[in-house]
Short mmCIF file of all heavy atoms in Angstrom, two decimals:
data_model
loop_
_atom_site.label_atom_id
_atom_site.label_comp_id
_atom_site.label_asym_id
_atom_site.label_seq_id
_atom_site.Cartn_x
_atom_site.Cartn_y
_atom_site.Cartn_z
N GLU A 239 89.32 95.51 97.66
CA GLU A 239 88.19 96.42 97.81
C GLU A 239 87.73 96.91 96.44
O GLU A 239 88.51 97.00 95.50
CB GLU A 239 88.60 97.64 98.65
CG GLU A 239 89.20 97.30 100.01
CD GLU A 239 88.14 97.04 101.07
OE1 GLU A 239 86.94 97.00 100.72
OE2 GLU A 239 88.52 96.89 102.24
N ASP A 240 86.44 97.30 96.36
CA ASP A 240 85.94 97.91 95.13
C ASP A 240 86.62 99.24 94.87
O ASP A 240 86.88 99.60 93.73
CB ASP A 240 84.42 98.12 95.21
CG ASP A 240 83.65 96.82 95.04
OD1 ASP A 240 84.26 95.82 94.63
OD2 ASP A 240 82.44 96.81 95.33
N PHE A 241 86.89 99.99 95.92
CA PHE A 241 87.64 101.24 95.78
C PHE A 241 88.69 101.33 96.89
O PHE A 241 89.87 101.15 96.65
CB PHE A 241 86.71 102.46 95.82
CG PHE A 241 87.45 103.76 95.77
CD1 PHE A 241 88.13 104.14 94.63
CD2 PHE A 241 87.51 104.60 96.89
CE1 PHE A 241 88.85 105.33 94.59
CE2 PHE A 241 88.21 105.79 96.85
CZ PHE A 241 88.89 106.14 95.69
N GLY A 242 88.28 101.61 98.11
CA GLY A 242 89.21 101.71 99.23
C GLY A 242 89.52 103.14 99.59
O GLY A 242 90.38 103.78 98.98
N ILE A 243 88.81 103.67 100.59
CA ILE A 243 89.05 105.04 101.05
C ILE A 243 90.25 105.10 102.00
O ILE A 243 91.00 106.09 101.99
CB ILE A 243 87.78 105.61 101.73
CG1 ILE A 243 86.71 105.87 100.66
CG2 ILE A 243 88.09 106.89 102.49
CD1 ILE A 243 85.42 106.43 101.20
N THR A 244 90.46 104.06 102.80
CA THR A 244 91.57 104.06 103.76
C THR A 244 92.92 104.35 103.11
O THR A 244 93.70 105.15 103.66
CB THR A 244 91.61 102.73 104.53
OG1 THR A 244 90.35 102.49 105.14
CG2 THR A 244 92.68 102.75 105.60
N PRO A 245 93.25 103.75 101.97
CA PRO A 245 94.53 104.10 101.33
C PRO A 245 94.65 105.58 101.00
O PRO A 245 95.73 106.17 101.13
CB PRO A 245 94.54 103.25 100.06
CG PRO A 245 93.64 102.13 100.34
CD PRO A 245 92.57 102.67 101.24
N LEU A 246 93.55 106.21 100.60
CA LEU A 246 93.58 107.64 100.28
C LEU A 246 93.76 108.48 101.53
O LEU A 246 94.40 109.54 101.49
CB LEU A 246 92.30 108.05 99.55
CG LEU A 246 92.32 107.99 98.02
CD1 LEU A 246 93.40 108.90 97.45
CD2 LEU A 246 92.48 106.58 97.51
N GLU A 247 93.23 108.01 102.66
CA GLU A 247 93.45 108.72 103.92
C GLU A 247 94.93 108.67 104.31
O GLU A 247 95.49 109.65 104.81
CB GLU A 247 92.57 108.13 105.01
CG GLU A 247 91.09 108.38 104.78
CD GLU A 247 90.20 107.71 105.80
OE1 GLU A 247 90.65 106.72 106.44
OE2 GLU A 247 89.05 108.16 106.00
N ALA A 248 95.56 107.52 104.08
CA ALA A 248 97.00 107.40 104.35
C ALA A 248 97.79 108.32 103.42
O ALA A 248 98.72 109.01 103.85
CB ALA A 248 97.46 105.96 104.18
N MET A 249 97.41 108.36 102.15
CA MET A 249 98.11 109.22 101.19
C MET A 249 97.90 110.69 101.52
O MET A 249 98.81 111.51 101.35
CB MET A 249 97.62 108.91 99.77
CG MET A 249 97.99 107.54 99.27
SD MET A 249 97.30 107.25 97.61
CE MET A 249 97.35 105.46 97.57
N ALA A 250 96.70 111.05 101.99
CA ALA A 250 96.45 112.43 102.40
C ALA A 250 97.34 112.81 103.58
O ALA A 250 97.61 113.99 103.81
CB ALA A 250 94.98 112.61 102.78
N SER A 251 97.82 111.79 104.31
CA SER A 251 98.74 112.00 105.42
C SER A 251 100.20 111.94 104.97
O SER A 251 101.12 111.97 105.80
CB SER A 251 98.50 110.94 106.51
OG SER A 251 97.14 110.91 106.90
N GLY A 252 100.40 111.81 103.66
CA GLY A 252 101.75 111.78 103.11
C GLY A 252 102.47 110.45 103.24
O GLY A 252 103.68 110.37 103.03
N ARG A 253 101.75 109.37 103.57
CA ARG A 253 102.39 108.08 103.79
C ARG A 253 102.08 107.10 102.67
O ARG A 253 100.98 107.09 102.13
CB ARG A 253 101.93 107.47 105.13
CG ARG A 253 102.18 108.33 106.35
CD ARG A 253 103.60 108.91 106.38
NE ARG A 253 104.63 107.90 106.22
CZ ARG A 253 105.87 108.15 105.76
NH1 ARG A 253 106.21 109.38 105.41
NH2 ARG A 253 106.74 107.17 105.66
N PRO A 254 103.06 106.28 102.29
CA PRO A 254 102.86 105.31 101.21
C PRO A 254 101.97 104.15 101.65
O PRO A 254 101.76 103.92 102.84
CB PRO A 254 104.28 104.83 100.90
CG PRO A 254 105.03 105.03 102.18
CD PRO A 254 104.44 106.25 102.82
N VAL A 255 101.47 103.43 100.65
CA VAL A 255 100.56 102.32 100.89
C VAL A 255 101.12 101.06 100.22
O VAL A 255 101.59 101.11 99.08
CB VAL A 255 99.16 102.62 100.32
CG1 VAL A 255 98.22 101.43 100.49
CG2 VAL A 255 98.56 103.86 101.00
N ILE A 256 101.05 99.96 100.94
CA ILE A 256 101.41 98.64 100.39
C ILE A 256 100.11 97.86 100.28
O ILE A 256 99.52 97.50 101.30
CB ILE A 256 102.42 97.91 101.28
CG1 ILE A 256 103.69 98.75 101.47
CG2 ILE A 256 102.77 96.55 100.69
CD1 ILE A 256 104.64 98.18 102.51
N ALA A 257 99.64 97.62 99.06
CA ALA A 257 98.32 97.02 98.87
C ALA A 257 98.40 95.80 97.96
O ALA A 257 99.27 95.72 97.08
CB ALA A 257 97.36 98.05 98.25
N VAL A 258 97.47 94.87 98.19
CA VAL A 258 97.35 93.76 97.25
C VAL A 258 96.98 94.33 95.89
O VAL A 258 96.13 95.22 95.78
CB VAL A 258 96.32 92.72 97.75
CG1 VAL A 258 94.92 93.31 97.86
CG2 VAL A 258 96.31 91.49 96.86
N GLY A 259 97.62 93.84 94.84
CA GLY A 259 97.46 94.43 93.51
C GLY A 259 96.22 93.97 92.79
O GLY A 259 96.29 93.47 91.66
N GLN A 260 95.07 94.14 93.42
CA GLN A 260 93.79 93.78 92.83
C GLN A 260 92.74 94.78 93.29
O GLN A 260 92.90 95.42 94.33
CB GLN A 260 93.37 92.36 93.24
CG GLN A 260 94.36 91.27 92.86
CD GLN A 260 93.92 89.91 93.34
OE1 GLN A 260 92.79 89.48 93.10
NE2 GLN A 260 94.81 89.21 94.03
N GLY A 261 91.65 94.90 92.54
CA GLY A 261 90.55 95.76 92.94
C GLY A 261 90.85 97.23 92.79
O GLY A 261 91.68 97.66 91.98
N GLY A 262 90.19 98.04 93.62
CA GLY A 262 90.28 99.49 93.50
C GLY A 262 91.63 100.06 93.80
O GLY A 262 91.94 101.19 93.38
N ALA A 263 92.49 99.33 94.53
CA ALA A 263 93.82 99.84 94.85
C ALA A 263 94.65 100.12 93.60
O ALA A 263 95.54 100.97 93.61
CB ALA A 263 94.56 98.85 95.75
N LEU A 264 94.35 99.42 92.52
CA LEU A 264 95.09 99.62 91.27
C LEU A 264 94.86 101.02 90.70
O LEU A 264 95.67 101.49 89.89
CB LEU A 264 94.68 98.56 90.24
CG LEU A 264 95.10 97.12 90.58
CD1 LEU A 264 94.53 96.15 89.55
CD2 LEU A 264 96.61 97.00 90.65
N ASP A 265 93.79 101.69 91.11
CA ASP A 265 93.52 103.05 90.63
C ASP A 265 94.29 104.10 91.42
O ASP A 265 94.47 105.23 90.93
CB ASP A 265 92.01 103.36 90.74
CG ASP A 265 91.18 102.65 89.69
OD1 ASP A 265 91.73 101.79 88.97
OD2 ASP A 265 89.98 102.94 89.59
N THR A 266 94.73 103.78 92.62
CA THR A 266 95.30 104.82 93.49
C THR A 266 96.73 104.55 93.94
O THR A 266 97.47 105.49 94.21
CB THR A 266 94.42 105.00 94.75
OG1 THR A 266 94.31 103.74 95.44
CG2 THR A 266 93.03 105.47 94.38
N VAL A 267 97.13 103.29 94.05
CA VAL A 267 98.48 102.97 94.49
C VAL A 267 99.40 102.87 93.28
O VAL A 267 99.31 101.93 92.49
CB VAL A 267 98.51 101.66 95.30
CG1 VAL A 267 99.94 101.36 95.76
CG2 VAL A 267 97.57 101.73 96.50
N ILE A 268 100.25 103.86 93.12
CA ILE A 268 101.17 103.93 91.97
C ILE A 268 102.54 103.46 92.44
O ILE A 268 103.18 104.13 93.26
CB ILE A 268 101.26 105.36 91.43
CG1 ILE A 268 99.86 105.90 91.11
CG2 ILE A 268 102.16 105.44 90.21
CD1 ILE A 268 99.82 107.39 90.83
N PRO A 269 103.00 102.31 91.96
CA PRO A 269 104.29 101.79 92.41
C PRO A 269 105.42 102.80 92.22
O PRO A 269 105.54 103.43 91.17
CB PRO A 269 104.50 100.55 91.52
CG PRO A 269 103.10 100.09 91.21
CD PRO A 269 102.32 101.37 91.05
N GLY A 270 106.21 102.97 93.26
CA GLY A 270 107.33 103.89 93.22
C GLY A 270 106.96 105.34 93.51
O GLY A 270 107.84 106.18 93.66
N VAL A 271 105.66 105.64 93.57
CA VAL A 271 105.20 107.02 93.80
C VAL A 271 104.38 107.11 95.08
O VAL A 271 104.72 107.85 96.01
CB VAL A 271 104.39 107.54 92.59
CG1 VAL A 271 103.94 108.99 92.86
CG2 VAL A 271 105.21 107.47 91.32
N THR A 272 103.25 106.39 95.13
CA THR A 272 102.40 106.42 96.32
C THR A 272 102.47 105.14 97.13
O THR A 272 101.76 104.99 98.12
CB THR A 272 100.93 106.69 95.94
OG1 THR A 272 100.46 105.60 95.11
CG2 THR A 272 100.79 107.99 95.18
N GLY A 273 103.30 104.21 96.72
CA GLY A 273 103.43 102.96 97.46
C GLY A 273 103.84 101.81 96.56
O GLY A 273 104.44 102.03 95.51
N GLU A 274 103.45 100.60 96.97
CA GLU A 274 103.78 99.40 96.21
C GLU A 274 102.61 98.43 96.29
O GLU A 274 101.78 98.52 97.20
CB GLU A 274 105.04 98.72 96.75
CG GLU A 274 106.28 99.59 96.76
CD GLU A 274 106.76 100.02 95.37
OE1 GLU A 274 106.43 99.32 94.39
OE2 GLU A 274 107.45 101.04 95.27
#
């Protein structure tokens, strides 16, 4: 995704995210902190 709002909705719910390491997810998914 260019950005990806769905991962932020999961994080707002306190849950980690497992995302493909490309696109906008690289700005929000922090390995070991908010997901992998």
Side-chain angles (χ1 to χ4, degrees):
E239 306 277 7
D240 285 347
F241 176 68
I243 289 180
T244 304
L246 268 300
E247 292 176 338
M249 293 178 201
S251 307
R253 303 313 308 156
V255 176
I256 302 172
V258 62
Q260 301 178 51
L264 292 175
D265 286 9
T266 57
V267 181
I268 306 169
V271 180
T272 62
E274 302 296 337

